[in-house]
Coordinates of all heavy atoms in Angstrom, one line a residue:
Chain B
L753 N 91.2 60.6 122.2 CA 90.0 59.8 122.4 C 90.3 58.8 123.4 O 89.4 58.5 124.3 CB 89.6 59.2 121.1 CG 88.3 58.3 121.1 CD1 87.1 59.1 121.7 CD2 88.0 57.7 119.8
V754 N 91.4 58.2 123.4 CA 91.8 57.2 124.4 C 91.8 57.8 125.8 O 91.2 57.2 126.7 CB 93.2 56.6 124.1 CG1 93.7 55.8 125.2 CG2 93.2 55.8 122.8
R755 N 92.3 59.0 125.9 CA 92.3 59.7 127.2 C 90.8 59.9 127.6 O 90.5 59.7 128.8 CB 92.9 61.1 127.0 CG 94.3 61.2 127.2 CD 94.7 61.6 128.6 NE 96.2 61.5 128.7 CZ 97.0 62.5 128.4 NH1 96.5 63.7 128.0 NH2 98.3 62.3 128.4
G756 N 90.0 60.3 126.7 CA 88.6 60.5 127.0 C 88.0 59.2 127.5 O 87.2 59.3 128.5
L757 N 88.3 58.1 126.9 CA 87.7 56.8 127.3 C 88.2 56.4 128.7 O 87.5 55.9 129.5 CB 88.1 55.7 126.3 CG 87.3 55.7 125.0 CD1 87.9 54.8 124.0 CD2 85.9 55.3 125.3
Q758 N 89.5 56.8 129.0 CA 90.1 56.4 130.2 C 89.2 57.0 131.4 O 89.0 56.3 132.4 CB 91.5 57.1 130.3 CG 92.6 56.1 130.1 CD 93.9 56.9 130.3 OE1 94.4 57.5 129.4 NE2 94.4 56.8 131.5
G759 N 88.8 58.2 131.2 CA 88.0 58.8 132.2 C 86.7 58.0 132.5 O 86.3 57.9 133.6
Q760 N 86.2 57.3 131.5 CA 85.0 56.5 131.7 C 85.3 55.1 132.0 O 84.5 54.5 132.8 CB 84.2 56.5 130.4 CG 83.6 57.9 130.2 CD 82.7 57.8 128.9 OE1 82.6 56.8 128.3 NE2 82.0 58.9 128.6
E761 N 86.3 54.5 131.5 CA 86.5 53.0 131.6 C 86.7 52.6 133.0 O 85.9 52.3 133.8 CB 87.6 52.6 130.6 CG 87.0 52.2 129.3 CD 88.1 51.8 128.3 OE1 89.3 51.8 128.7 OE2 87.7 51.6 127.1
G762 N 88.0 52.5 133.3 CA 88.3 52.0 134.7 C 87.9 50.6 134.9 O 86.8 50.2 134.6
D763 N 88.8 49.8 135.5 CA 88.4 48.5 135.9 C 88.0 47.6 134.7 O 87.1 46.7 134.9 CB 87.3 48.4 136.9 CG 87.8 49.1 138.2 OD1 89.0 49.1 138.5 OD2 86.9 49.7 138.9
G764 N 88.4 47.9 133.6 CA 88.1 47.0 132.4 C 86.7 47.1 131.9 O 86.3 46.4 131.0
V765 N 85.9 48.1 132.5 CA 84.6 48.3 132.0 C 84.7 48.9 130.6 O 85.7 49.7 130.4 CB 83.8 49.3 132.9 CG1 82.6 49.8 132.3 CG2 83.5 48.6 134.2
G766 N 83.9 48.6 129.7 CA 84.0 49.2 128.4 C 84.9 48.4 127.5 O 85.4 48.9 126.5
E767 N 85.1 47.2 127.9 CA 85.9 46.3 127.0 C 85.1 46.0 125.8 O 85.7 45.6 124.7 CB 86.3 45.1 127.7 CG 87.3 45.3 128.9 CD 88.7 45.8 128.3 OE1 89.2 45.1 127.4 OE2 89.2 46.8 128.8
E768 N 83.8 46.0 125.9 CA 82.9 45.7 124.8 C 82.4 47.0 124.2 O 82.7 48.0 124.7 CB 81.7 44.8 125.2 CG 82.1 43.6 126.0 CD 83.1 42.7 125.1 OE1 82.8 42.5 123.9 OE2 84.1 42.2 125.7
G769 N 81.7 46.8 123.1 CA 81.1 48.1 122.6 C 82.0 48.5 121.4 O 83.0 48.0 121.1
P770 N 81.4 49.5 120.6 CA 82.0 49.9 119.4 C 83.3 50.6 119.6 O 84.2 50.6 118.7 CB 81.0 50.8 118.7 CG 80.1 51.3 119.8 CD 80.2 50.2 120.9
V771 N 83.4 51.3 120.7 CA 84.6 52.1 120.9 C 85.4 51.6 122.2 O 84.9 51.8 123.3 CB 84.3 53.6 121.1 CG1 85.6 54.4 121.1 CG2 83.4 54.0 120.0
T772 N 86.5 51.0 122.0 CA 87.3 50.7 123.2 C 88.7 51.1 122.9 O 89.1 51.3 121.8 CB 87.3 49.1 123.4 OG1 88.0 48.5 122.3 CG2 85.9 48.6 123.5
S773 N 89.5 51.2 124.0 CA 90.9 51.6 123.9 C 91.6 50.6 123.0 O 92.4 51.0 122.1 CB 91.5 51.7 125.2 OG 90.7 52.3 126.1
K774 N 91.3 49.4 123.2 CA 92.0 48.3 122.4 C 91.8 48.5 121.0 O 92.8 48.5 120.2 CB 91.5 46.9 122.8 CG 92.0 46.4 124.1 CD 92.2 44.8 124.0 CE 92.6 44.3 125.4 NZ 91.5 43.4 125.9
K775 N 90.6 48.8 120.6 CA 90.3 49.0 119.2 C 91.1 50.2 118.6 O 91.6 50.2 117.5 CB 88.8 49.2 118.9 CG 88.0 48.0 119.2 CD 86.7 48.0 118.4 CE 85.8 46.8 118.6 NZ 84.6 47.0 119.4
I776 N 91.1 51.2 119.4 CA 91.8 52.4 119.0 C 93.3 52.1 118.8 O 93.9 52.5 117.9 CB 91.6 53.6 119.9 CG1 90.1 53.9 120.1 CG2 92.3 54.8 119.4 CD1 89.8 55.0 121.1
F777 N 93.8 51.3 119.8 CA 95.3 51.0 119.7 C 95.6 50.2 118.5 O 96.6 50.4 117.8 CB 95.7 50.3 121.0 CG 96.0 51.3 122.1 CD1 95.3 51.1 123.3 CD2 96.8 52.3 122.0 CE1 95.5 51.9 124.4 CE2 97.0 53.2 123.0 CZ 96.4 53.0 124.2
Q778 N 94.6 49.3 118.1 CA 94.8 48.5 116.9 C 94.9 49.5 115.7 O 95.8 49.3 114.8 CB 93.6 47.6 116.7 CG 93.8 46.3 117.3 CD 92.4 45.5 117.3 OE1 91.5 46.0 116.6 NE2 92.4 44.4 117.9
L779 N 94.0 50.4 115.7 CA 93.9 51.4 114.6 C 95.2 52.2 114.5 O 95.8 52.4 113.5 CB 92.7 52.3 114.8 CG 92.4 53.3 113.7 CD1 90.9 53.3 113.4 CD2 92.9 54.7 114.0
L780 N 95.7 52.6 115.7 CA 96.9 53.4 115.8 C 98.1 52.6 115.3 O 98.9 53.1 114.5 CB 97.2 53.8 117.3 CG 96.3 54.9 117.8 CD1 96.4 55.0 119.3 CD2 96.7 56.2 117.2
H781 N 98.1 51.3 115.7 CA 99.2 50.5 115.3 C 99.3 50.4 113.8 O 100.4 50.6 113.1 CB 99.0 49.1 115.9 CG 100.2 48.2 115.8 ND1 100.6 47.6 114.6 CD2 101.2 47.9 116.7 CE1 101.7 46.9 114.8 NE2 102.1 47.1 116.1
Q782 N 98.1 50.1 113.2 CA 98.1 49.9 111.7 C 98.5 51.2 111.0 O 99.2 51.2 110.0 CB 96.7 49.5 111.2 CG 96.4 48.1 111.5 CD 94.9 47.8 111.4 OE1 94.2 48.7 111.0 NE2 94.5 46.6 111.8
T783 N 98.0 52.3 111.5 CA 98.2 53.6 110.9 C 99.7 54.0 111.0 O 100.3 54.4 110.0 CB 97.4 54.7 111.6 OG1 96.0 54.2 111.7 CG2 97.3 55.9 110.7
I784 N 100.3 53.8 112.1 CA 101.7 54.2 112.2 C 102.6 53.3 111.4 O 103.6 53.7 110.8 CB 102.2 54.2 113.7 CG1 101.3 55.1 114.6 CG2 103.6 54.7 113.8 CD1 101.6 55.0 116.0
E785 N 102.1 52.1 111.2 CA 102.9 51.2 110.4 C 103.0 51.7 109.0 O 104.1 51.6 108.3 CB 102.2 49.8 110.4 CG 102.8 48.8 111.4 CD 102.4 47.4 111.2 OE1 101.3 47.2 110.6 OE2 103.1 46.5 111.6
T786 N 101.9 52.2 108.5 CA 102.0 52.8 107.1 C 103.0 53.9 107.0 O 103.7 54.0 106.0 CB 100.6 53.3 106.6 OG1 100.2 54.2 107.6 CG2 99.6 52.2 106.3
L787 N 103.2 54.6 108.1 CA 104.1 55.7 108.1 C 105.6 55.1 108.0 O 106.4 55.7 107.3 CB 104.0 56.5 109.4 CG 104.5 57.9 109.4 CD1 103.9 58.7 108.2 CD2 104.2 58.6 110.7
S788 N 105.8 54.0 108.7 CA 107.2 53.5 108.7 C 107.5 53.0 107.3 O 108.7 52.9 107.0 CB 107.4 52.5 109.8 OG 106.3 51.6 109.9
S789 N 106.5 52.6 106.6 CA 106.8 52.0 105.3 C 107.0 53.1 104.2 O 107.3 52.8 103.1 CB 105.6 51.1 104.8 OG 104.5 51.8 104.6
V790 N 106.8 54.3 104.6 CA 107.0 55.4 103.6 C 108.2 56.3 104.1 O 108.1 57.5 104.0 CB 105.7 56.3 103.4 CG1 104.7 55.4 102.8 CG2 105.3 56.9 104.6
S791 N 109.2 55.7 104.5 CA 110.4 56.3 104.9 C 110.2 57.5 105.9 O 110.8 58.6 105.6 CB 111.2 56.8 103.7 OG 110.5 57.4 102.8
S792 N 109.5 57.4 106.9 CA 109.5 58.3 108.0 C 109.7 57.6 109.3 O 108.9 57.6 110.2 CB 108.2 59.1 108.1 OG 107.9 59.8 106.9
P793 N 110.8 56.8 109.4 CA 110.9 55.9 110.6 C 111.1 56.7 111.9 O 110.6 56.2 112.9 CB 112.2 55.1 110.2 CG 113.0 56.0 109.3 CD 111.9 56.7 108.5
E794 N 111.8 57.8 111.9 CA 112.0 58.5 113.1 C 110.6 59.0 113.7 O 110.4 58.9 114.9 CB 112.9 59.7 112.9 CG 114.3 59.3 112.7 CD 115.2 60.4 112.3 OE1 115.2 61.4 112.9 OE2 116.0 60.3 111.3
L795 N 109.8 59.5 112.8 CA 108.5 60.0 113.2 C 107.7 58.8 113.7 O 107.0 58.9 114.8 CB 107.8 60.7 112.0 CG 106.4 61.3 112.3 CD1 106.5 62.3 113.4 CD2 105.9 62.0 111.0
A796 N 107.7 57.7 113.0 CA 107.0 56.5 113.4 C 107.4 56.1 114.8 O 106.6 55.7 115.6 CB 107.1 55.4 112.4
L797 N 108.7 56.1 115.0 CA 109.3 55.7 116.3 C 108.7 56.5 117.4 O 108.2 56.0 118.4 CB 110.8 55.8 116.2 CG 111.6 55.3 117.4 CD1 112.9 54.7 117.0 CD2 111.8 56.3 118.5
R798 N 108.7 57.8 117.2 CA 108.1 58.7 118.2 C 106.7 58.4 118.5 O 106.2 58.4 119.6 CB 108.3 60.2 117.8 CG 109.7 60.7 117.9 CD 110.0 61.8 116.9 NE 111.2 62.5 117.0 CZ 112.4 61.9 116.7 NH1 112.5 60.7 116.3 NH2 113.5 62.6 116.8
L799 N 105.9 58.2 117.4 CA 104.5 58.0 117.6 C 104.3 56.6 118.3 O 103.3 56.5 119.1 CB 103.8 58.0 116.2 CG 103.8 59.4 115.5 CD1 103.3 59.3 114.1 CD2 103.1 60.4 116.3
F800 N 105.1 55.6 118.0 CA 104.9 54.3 118.7 C 105.1 54.5 120.2 O 104.4 54.0 121.0 CB 105.9 53.3 118.1 CG 105.4 52.6 116.9 CD1 106.2 52.5 115.8 CD2 104.2 52.0 116.9 CE1 105.8 51.8 114.7 CE2 103.7 51.3 115.8 CZ 104.5 51.2 114.7
L801 N 106.1 55.3 120.5 CA 106.4 55.6 121.9 C 105.3 56.3 122.6 O 104.9 56.0 123.7 CB 107.7 56.4 122.1 CG 109.0 55.6 121.7 CD1 110.2 56.5 121.8 CD2 109.2 54.4 122.6
Q802 N 104.7 57.3 121.9 CA 103.5 58.0 122.4 C 102.4 57.0 122.7 O 101.7 57.0 123.8 CB 103.0 59.0 121.4 CG 103.8 60.2 121.2 CD 103.7 61.2 122.3 OE1 102.7 61.3 123.0 NE2 104.7 62.0 122.5
C803 N 102.2 56.1 121.8 CA 101.1 55.1 122.0 C 101.5 54.1 123.2 O 100.6 53.7 123.9 CB 101.0 54.2 120.7 SG 100.3 55.2 119.4
A804 N 102.8 53.8 123.3 CA 103.2 53.0 124.4 C 102.8 53.6 125.7 O 102.2 52.9 126.6 CB 104.7 52.7 124.3
E805 N 103.1 54.9 125.8 CA 102.7 55.6 127.1 C 101.2 55.6 127.3 O 100.8 55.4 128.5 CB 103.3 57.0 127.0 CG 104.6 57.2 127.6 CD 105.0 58.6 128.0 OE1 105.5 59.3 127.1 OE2 104.7 59.0 129.1
A806 N 100.5 55.8 126.2 CA 99.0 55.8 126.4 C 98.5 54.4 126.8 O 97.6 54.3 127.7 CB 98.4 56.2 125.1
A807 N 99.1 53.4 126.2 CA 98.7 52.0 126.6 C 99.1 51.8 128.1 O 98.3 51.1 128.8 CB 99.4 51.0 125.7
N808 N 100.2 52.3 128.5 CA 100.6 52.2 129.9 C 99.5 52.8 130.8 O 99.2 52.2 131.8 CB 101.9 52.9 130.1 CG 102.4 52.9 131.5 OD1 102.9 51.8 132.0 ND2 102.3 54.0 132.2
D809 N 99.1 53.9 130.4 CA 98.0 54.6 131.2 C 96.7 53.8 131.2 O 95.9 54.0 132.1 CB 97.8 56.0 130.7 CG 99.1 56.9 130.9 OD1 99.9 56.5 131.7 OD2 99.1 58.0 130.3
C810 N 96.5 53.0 130.2 CA 95.3 52.2 130.2 C 95.5 50.8 130.8 O 94.6 50.0 130.7 CB 94.8 52.0 128.7 SG 94.2 53.6 128.0
D811 N 96.7 50.6 131.3 CA 97.0 49.4 131.9 C 97.0 48.2 130.9 O 96.6 47.1 131.3 CB 96.0 49.1 133.0 CG 96.6 48.7 134.3 OD1 97.9 48.7 134.4 OD2 95.9 48.3 135.2
L812 N 97.4 48.4 129.7 CA 97.4 47.4 128.7 C 98.8 46.9 128.5 O 99.4 47.4 127.5 CB 96.7 47.8 127.4 CG 95.2 48.2 127.6 CD1 94.7 49.0 126.3 CD2 94.4 46.9 127.8
E813 N 99.3 46.0 129.3 CA 100.7 45.6 129.2 C 101.1 45.1 127.8 O 102.1 45.5 127.2 CB 101.1 44.6 130.3 CG 102.6 44.4 130.3 CD 103.0 43.4 131.4 OE1 102.1 43.0 132.2 OE2 104.2 43.0 131.5
P814 N 100.4 44.1 127.3 CA 100.8 43.6 126.0 C 100.8 44.6 124.9 O 101.7 44.6 124.0 CB 99.8 42.5 125.7 CG 98.8 42.4 126.9 CD 99.1 43.5 127.8
V815 N 99.8 45.5 124.9 CA 99.8 46.5 123.9 C 101.0 47.4 124.0 O 101.7 47.7 123.0 CB 98.5 47.3 124.0 CG1 98.4 48.4 123.0 CG2 97.2 46.4 123.9
A816 N 101.3 47.8 125.2 CA 102.4 48.7 125.4 C 103.7 48.0 125.0 O 104.6 48.6 124.3 CB 102.5 49.1 126.9
Y817 N 103.8 46.7 125.3 CA 105.0 46.0 124.9 C 105.2 45.9 123.4 O 106.2 46.1 122.9 CB 105.0 44.6 125.5 CG 106.3 43.8 125.4 CD1 107.3 44.0 126.2 CD2 106.4 42.9 124.3 CE1 108.5 43.4 126.1 CE2 107.6 42.3 124.1 CZ 108.7 42.5 125.0 OH 109.9 41.8 124.9
E818 N 104.0 45.7 122.8 CA 104.0 45.6 121.3 C 104.5 46.9 120.7 O 105.4 46.9 119.8 CB 102.6 45.3 120.8 CG 102.5 45.3 119.3 CD 103.4 44.4 118.5 OE1 103.8 43.4 119.1 OE2 103.8 44.8 117.4

Side-chain angles (χ1 to χ4, degrees):
Chain B
L753 181 56
V754 169
R755 273 264 172 90
L757 283 170
Q758 260 183 275
Q760 287 184 358
E761 270 176 5
D763 299 329
V765 169
E767 291 293 310
E768 306 303 316
V771 189
T772 64
S773 319
K774 279 214 188 116
K775 291 204 179 111
I776 301 176
F777 282 123
Q778 270 170 8
L779 186 138
L780 284 166
H781 193 282
Q782 286 163 8
T783 314
I784 303 173
E785 265 192 336
T786 49
L787 203 56
S788 42
S789 68
V790 297
S791 49
S792 300
E794 289 172 48
L795 184 55
L797 186 146
R798 284 151 174 71
L799 294 174
F800 275 130
L801 291 175
Q802 289 282 336
C803 292
E805 268 198 271
N808 179 73
D809 294 344
C810 291
D811 227 7
L812 296 168
E813 186 179 356
V815 178
Y817 190 81
E818 174 57 29

